[in-house]
Amino acid sequence: MITASQVKELREKTGAGMMDCKKALTECDGDMAKAVDWLREKGISKAAKKEGRIAAEGLTRVATKGNTGILFEVNSETDFVAKNEQFLHLLDVIQNAILDTKAADVDAVLTTSTPEGTIADLITNATATIGEKITFRRVSVVEKADDEFFGSYMHMGGKISALAVLKGETNETVAKNIAMQVASMAPTYVSQSDIPGDVVEHERELQLQMMKADPKMAGKPEKVLQGILKGKVDKHFKDQCLLDQEFFLDPKMKVANFLKDNKVELVSFVRYQTGEGIEKREENFAEEVMSQIKG
């Protein structure tokens, strides 16, 4: 039995029509990932990039201290809380605690002591005072070598945070530009050599099935078909690989060329976007207002 919520989720992930989504889920026995592929094969999916949809509210943070860089995310129920002074102070305390202790997982952060109490206690107090559920979601601690340097950037006060580790001639402008590239263009990998083999093979099979269904491909020599297939797979992953992306300040230039021109190498990067992958509870704002009035 395919539910309306499943159809809605697939629509938001792909941009396809309601009936197409229902048919895809029916054909794939309700398997969401297979339904996305099914729509792509049929050429119906309009927005494959929406798979990591943004849902929950709150803020992310990025900060560096010496050879340590950190990113973390704290979620709230509404966007209003992201501007709350107590919430922002909570983030400041968490930031300083992680930089001092280098706590690298959620449990370690929550049990960290501060002059105001443990992080878990502070979150409980914030939840009680602000009146919304506050949760510490995730953290990344990145250590760099002495001959490496950081680039960091926060967009819209922390809706998106990015941290890049670079090597070569230290250049703060280049470092920030790369962090901004990561924030704005949302790459998944540094280069195509970093893509897991099973991910490449999955895309290759998907593109192959799409080509088989294309009448224009009929009768083409095998060597030509293999070249077309490679081109399609490379094109799919181009925007996911940072070095292959167009540089946001000069679309005629690839990021790899920008780094080479500045004698800098990219070592790694981390990107957090508030609420990515979290399902947000559905609300009817009008009903909520009426319930407040009646209450």
Side-chain angles (χ1 to χ4, degrees), residues 8-22:
K8 179 176 181 291
E9 182 181 349
L10 186 57
R11 284 191 72 187
E12 290 177 347
K13 283 185 174 184
T14 64
M18 184 174 69
M19 296 308 294
D20 288 327
C21 288
K22 187 174 181 180

Side-chain angles (χ1 to χ4, degrees), residues 2-294:
I2 306 302
T3 66
S5 61
Q6 285 177 297
V7 174
K8 179 176 181 291
E9 182 181 349
L10 186 57
R11 284 191 72 187
E12 290 177 347
K13 283 185 174 184
T14 64
M18 184 174 69
M19 296 308 294
D20 288 327
C21 288
K22 187 174 181 180
K23 185 175 181 181
L25 286 163
T26 302
E27 292 286 334
C28 301
D29 297 322
D31 187 307
M32 191 63 63
K34 288 181 180 177
V36 171
D37 285 348
W38 188 91
L39 287 169
R40 285 188 62 200
E41 284 181 27
K42 303 296 181 184
I44 296 169
S45 174
K46 297 175 185 174
K49 290 183 180 180
K50 286 191 176 182
E51 290 175 7
R53 58 185 283 247
I54 310 308
E57 305 299 342
L59 288 174
T60 65
R61 276 279 180 94
V62 58
T64 62
K65 181 180 180 182
N67 282 351
T68 302
I70 65 166
L71 291 95
F72 65 91
E73 179 180 358
V74 181
N75 296 125
S76 58
E77 292 181 64
T78 69
D79 190 41
F80 298 111
V81 173
K83 304 175 184 70
N84 179 288
E85 285 188 16
Q86 184 179 356
F87 184 77
L88 293 172
H89 174 69
L90 173 64
L91 264 64
D92 289 339
V93 174
I94 292 173
Q95 176 179 309
N96 292 332
I98 298 173
L99 283 172
D100 288 342
T101 64
K102 301 181 183 180
D105 61 61
V106 172
D107 289 338
V109 172
L110 292 175
T111 55
T112 298
S113 297
T114 77
E116 300 177 37
T118 66
I119 298 299
D121 289 338
L122 293 178
I123 289 174
T124 299
N125 293 339
T127 298
T129 306
I130 295 171
E132 279 192 22
K133 183 180 179 182
I134 309 295
T135 56
F136 183 84
R137 184 187 179 197
R138 54 180 172 163
V139 60
S140 291
V141 177
V142 180
E143 296 289 349
K144 73 170 184 65
D146 289 336
D147 63 343
E148 296 171 344
F149 57 101
F150 286 125
S152 63
Y153 176 70
M154 281 201 309
H155 182 64
M156 292 178 66
K159 287 299 178 185
I160 302 172
S161 291
L163 179 71
V165 179
L166 304 121
K167 188 174 183 177
E169 293 187 5
T170 303
N171 186 318
E172 290 184 8
T173 301
V174 170
K176 184 175 182 181
N177 282 341
I178 291 299
M180 290 177 75
Q181 176 83 23
V182 171
S184 62
M185 302 306 291
T188 306
Y189 311 100
V190 172
S191 66
Q192 292 210 18
S193 63
D194 297 315
I195 306 172
D198 60 330
V199 175
V200 176
E201 186 56 31
H202 175 81
E203 182 61 28
R204 189 177 179 281
E205 284 299 317
L206 183 60
Q207 294 290 349
L208 189 58
Q209 293 305 315
M210 293 165 73
M211 285 172 63
K212 285 180 179 178
D214 186 352
K216 295 177 183 176
M217 297 295 163
K220 288 185 182 293
E222 182 63 24
K223 188 174 182 180
V224 173
L225 289 173
Q226 288 302 317
I228 294 172
L229 178 60
K230 184 180 185 304
K232 286 179 176 291
V233 173
D234 288 347
K235 184 180 179 182
H236 173 78
F237 287 118
K238 189 183 87 169
D239 288 340
Q240 297 183 34
C241 298
L242 181 55
L243 295 181
D244 290 335
Q245 289 182 344
E246 295 175 349
F247 182 43
F248 78 107
L249 289 177
D250 183 1
K252 295 179 182 177
M253 176 185 286
K254 282 190 175 183
V255 171
N257 298 123
F258 170 71
L259 290 169
K260 187 177 180 181
D261 289 350
N262 286 281
K263 299 177 181 177
V264 171
E265 293 178 34
L266 177 66
V267 178
S268 63
F269 68 84
V270 184
R271 179 186 187 273
Y272 278 7
Q273 184 159 341
T274 304
E276 57 193 340
I278 298 177
E279 193 76 25
K280 187 177 181 181
R281 67 189 175 93
E282 291 183 36
E283 296 175 304
N284 185 314
F285 188 67
E287 287 180 8
E288 185 180 329
V289 172
M290 289 306 295
S291 68
Q292 297 280 343
I293 295 171
K294 290 176 182 176

